């Protein structure tokens, strides 16, 4: 099987590349990535020597490049991870999110229509459902929860999901969608909550917690997400949406305090800063459908996953030191300088 993994040089896409190479050694994995600030070939260095792996540089929002890719590769499956993925950046500058996340998805779907495909899989997010109130712990997102987005990021992801469903119905593209909760683990880009807090704590820098830190996210270890997508592309039913999450709800403050505890650092490093605009309160996935229909269950509990993640950042300093020594400094100054 030939599988194109778009966005495979990013956090989850790269973990998925490694997952596929390890679990399906006969398949061919082609990573297609534009190498934006979030894409990093260093992340794929253990795949590069594998004869079943190939990297192709390109942009999902370039029709010419995508059609050429399909002509050369003739893929069986395409798994679309490629996206602008950071809510804070989308609040600063929405346009690129619309181009990559919406137009990019539509071009991939057009390519599937033109050249044919066995399966198109869209990697979506629980953020398309909006948020849940903090005082209703009994509520969860199911696959039939209405789309109700808050940020330009989530609006762009929801638009892409609607396009996938439209192409599936109108042109019979054999498509599936997964909507996952917040991931964490190796190769997570340092501007997202967990790696940012680990790295700041290691430097004894303040840990900027938005608002009161009471917002809740439902954390899933990245390998469990990869295992779920692997099951969906092989056994999932065309036209279906699958929610992915492991019932690991934590407030941001709990997550930050856990990291400080693991690193033996003082809670006095925590600094409450101006809240994010439109900040979603709580995300919480009901994963009953994928558990029941595909037999998926998450393997890593948060307490173990966060230990493994902190250990990974301690053992892989060179990977993130290179990232934070560059353009990241300007980003950090802009987003946190006067917050
Ligand atoms: P990321 O930002 O770490 O990586 C995105 C990758 O896409 C990068 O390698 C980047 O170079 C590439 N890319 C960006 N624009 C591109 C373009 N126009 N053409 C080709 N490649 C392009 O993101 P991530 O956290 O790994 O998320 C991957 C996917 O999973 C996204 O679609 C995101 O919406 C979804 N998702 C993420 C989470 C999470 O917690 N991170 C949770 C649920 C769903
Ligand atoms: P993030 O990792 O950006 O993921 P998302 O917004 O997609 O859930 O943020 C996770 C949570 O952490 C979110 O509630 C915002 C919060 N947060 C902070 O409090 N401080 C930070 O510096 C960052 C990056 C996020």
């Amino acid at each position: 099987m030939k599988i194109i993994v778009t966005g495979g040089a990013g956090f989850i896409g790269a973990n998925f590349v490694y997952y596929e190479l390890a679990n399906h050694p006969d398949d061919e994995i082609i990573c297609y990535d534009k190498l934006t600030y979030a894409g990093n070939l260093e992340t794929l260095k253990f795949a590069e020597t594998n004869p079943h792996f190939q990297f192709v540089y390109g942009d999902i929002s370039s029709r010419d490049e995508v059609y050429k890719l399909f002509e050369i590769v003739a893929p069986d499956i395409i798994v679309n991870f490629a996206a602008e993925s950071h809510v804070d950046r989308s609040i600063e500058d929405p346009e690129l999110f619309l181009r990559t996340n919406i137009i990019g998805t539509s071009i991939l779907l057009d390519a599937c229509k033109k050249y044919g495909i066995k399966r198109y899989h869209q990697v979506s997010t629980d953020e398309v459902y909006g948020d849940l109130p903090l005082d209703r712990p009994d509520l969860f997102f199911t696959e039939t929860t209405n789309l109700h987005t808050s940020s330009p990021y989530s609006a762009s992801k929801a638009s892409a999901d609607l396009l996938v469903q439209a192409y599936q119905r109108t042109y019979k593209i054999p498509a599936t969608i997964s909507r996952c909760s917040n991931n964490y683990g190796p190769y997570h880009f340092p501007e997202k909550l967990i790696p940012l807090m680990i790295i700041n704590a290691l430097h004894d820098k303040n840990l900027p917690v938005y608002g009161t830190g009471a917002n809740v996210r439902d954390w899933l270890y990245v390998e469990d997400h990869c295992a779920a997508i692997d099951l969906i592309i092989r056994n999932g039913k065309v036209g279906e949406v699958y929610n992915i999450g492991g019932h690991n709800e934590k407030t941001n403050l709990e997550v930050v305090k856990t990291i400080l505890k693991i690193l033996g650092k003082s809670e006095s490093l925590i600094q409450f800063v101006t809240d994010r605009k439109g900040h979603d309160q709580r995300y919480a996935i009901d994963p009953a459908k994928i558990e029941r229909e595909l037999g998926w269950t998450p393997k890593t509990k948060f307490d173990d996953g966060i230990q493994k993640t902190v250990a990974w950042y301690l053992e892989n300093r060179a990977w993130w030191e290179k990232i934070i020594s560059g353009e990241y400094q300007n980003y950090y100054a802009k987003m946190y300088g006067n917050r």
Side-chain angles (χ1 to χ4, degrees), residues 1-6 16 20 24 27-30 69-70 73-81 112 116-122 174 176 229-235:
M1 205 104 77
K2 281 187 188 172
I3 306 177
I4 292 180
V5 178
T6 67
F16 184 73
E20 292 299 294
H24 302 282
D27 286 348
E28 271 182 62
I29 308 298
I30 299 96
L69 173 77
F70 271 66
V73 172
D76 298 296
I77 297 179
I78 175 147
V79 185
N80 181 27
F81 290 91
C112 292
I117 197 86
K118 291 201 178 97
R119 177 64 65 90
Y120 175 91
H121 182 71
Q122 177 73 2
T176 40
I229 294 173
D230 182 61
L231 276 176
I232 296 168
I233 60 175
R234 290 162 202 278
N235 305 331

Side-chain angles (χ1 to χ4, degrees), residues 125-136 139-142 145-151 154 182 214-217 249 275-285:
T125 163
D126 59 356
E127 301 193 29
V128 299
Y129 298 123
D131 63 351
L132 296 164
L134 292 176
D135 59 357
R136 288 294 307 273
L139 296 180
F140 295 91
F141 298 135
T142 71
T145 301
N146 288 339
L147 303 190
H148 186 83
T149 57
S150 315
S151 69
S154 56
N182 286 61
N215 304 62
V216 170
R217 296 294 183 263
E249 287 179 55
D275 209 353
R276 172 186 281 173
K277 291 186 183 115
H279 198 170
D280 279 340
Q281 297 189 55
R282 171 174 168 253
Y283 302 144
I285 282 279

